[in-house]
Amino acid sequence: MTIQLGQVAPDFEAETTHGKIRFHEWLGNAWGVLFSHPKDFTPVCTTELGETARLKPEFDRRGVKVIGLSVDSLDRHAGWEADIADTQGHAVNFPMIADPEKKVAALYGMVHPEADPSITVRTVFVIDPAKKVRLFMVYPPSTGRNFDEILRVIDSLQLTDGKKVATPVNWRPGDRAIIPPSIPDEQAKALFPQGWEAERPYLRWVEVKA
C-alpha cells in the first residue's frame, strides 16, 4: 500500500508489548509517531530504541505518543528490551508492535522488496490528532534515524498548524517563520498584528511564539 501525505493513517489491531491495541483508539486525540525496525536484536535499532526511550519526556511534552514495530514476536521483543536497557541505559517505555506476519508492515508499505524482501525498512510516520499522515521518512536498513529531526518536524507542524505560518530551511523553535504566499497582506495584518519584514513580496518574515 502507498501512504500519501494528508491520507488518514490506516487503522489496525495488533499485539504489542503493552497489550492488544486498535491503533486509532490507542492514538486518541494525540499526535503519534509510528516507526518500524527491520527485526529484533539488530544493533542500529537497539541504539534507536534507547534514544527514543531517553527522549520520551520530549515527545510527552509535545503531546505525542510513540509506538515501534518489528516483524518479530512478543517474546523476542521482551528479550530485546532487556538488552536495550542494559546497553543503552534507558528501558523501552513505549509499546512495540509484534508483526511476525508483516500485516502492519504491508499495510503501511514498510517492506521494500528491491532493498530486502525479508525485513522492513526504517520508516517513520508522524500522524496528527485527526489521524492524518503529516510526514513519512524512509531510511535504508543500515542507517539510523535522526530523532532530533523528527522532533524538529513535529515542532514545525504544531507551530504551522496553530499560527498559519511556514518554517524555513533549518528552522528551530524560536527562529522566525514565513507567512505563506496564500495569505494576502490584508489578511496577514489581522493574523500578524506584530508586523513582518518583506524581503520580497513572496518572502515575508515574521516572529511568532509557539
Side-chain angles (χ1 to χ4, degrees), residues 129-179:
K131 311 297 186 295
K132 291 186 176 181
V133 175
R134 301 296 299 278
L135 168 89
F136 57 86
M137 294 188 286
V138 181
Y139 290 71
S142 59
T143 302
R145 284 165 277 220
N146 184 330
F147 281 84
D148 288 337
E149 170 63 4
I150 293 168
L151 286 170
R152 189 190 77 90
V153 172
I154 291 168
D155 285 335
S156 173
L157 288 170
Q158 292 182 344
L159 179 77
T160 57
D161 279 4
K163 301 295 184 179
K164 309 303 180 188
V165 293
T167 55
V169 63
N170 297 331
W171 174 88
R172 292 282 180 182
D175 293 350
R176 61 183 182 167
I178 292 171
I179 301 173

Side-chain angles (χ1 to χ4, degrees), residues 89-125:
H90 296 278
V92 176
N93 46 15
F94 52 88
M96 284 285 293
I97 296 166
D99 193 31
E101 296 179 4
K102 299 182 183 175
K103 291 181 178 179
V104 180
L107 184 64
Y108 276 76
M110 295 172 174
V111 178
H112 292 203
E114 295 299 323
D116 189 327
S118 67
I119 60 176
T120 62
V121 292
R122 297 182 195 284
T123 311
V124 181
F125 293 94

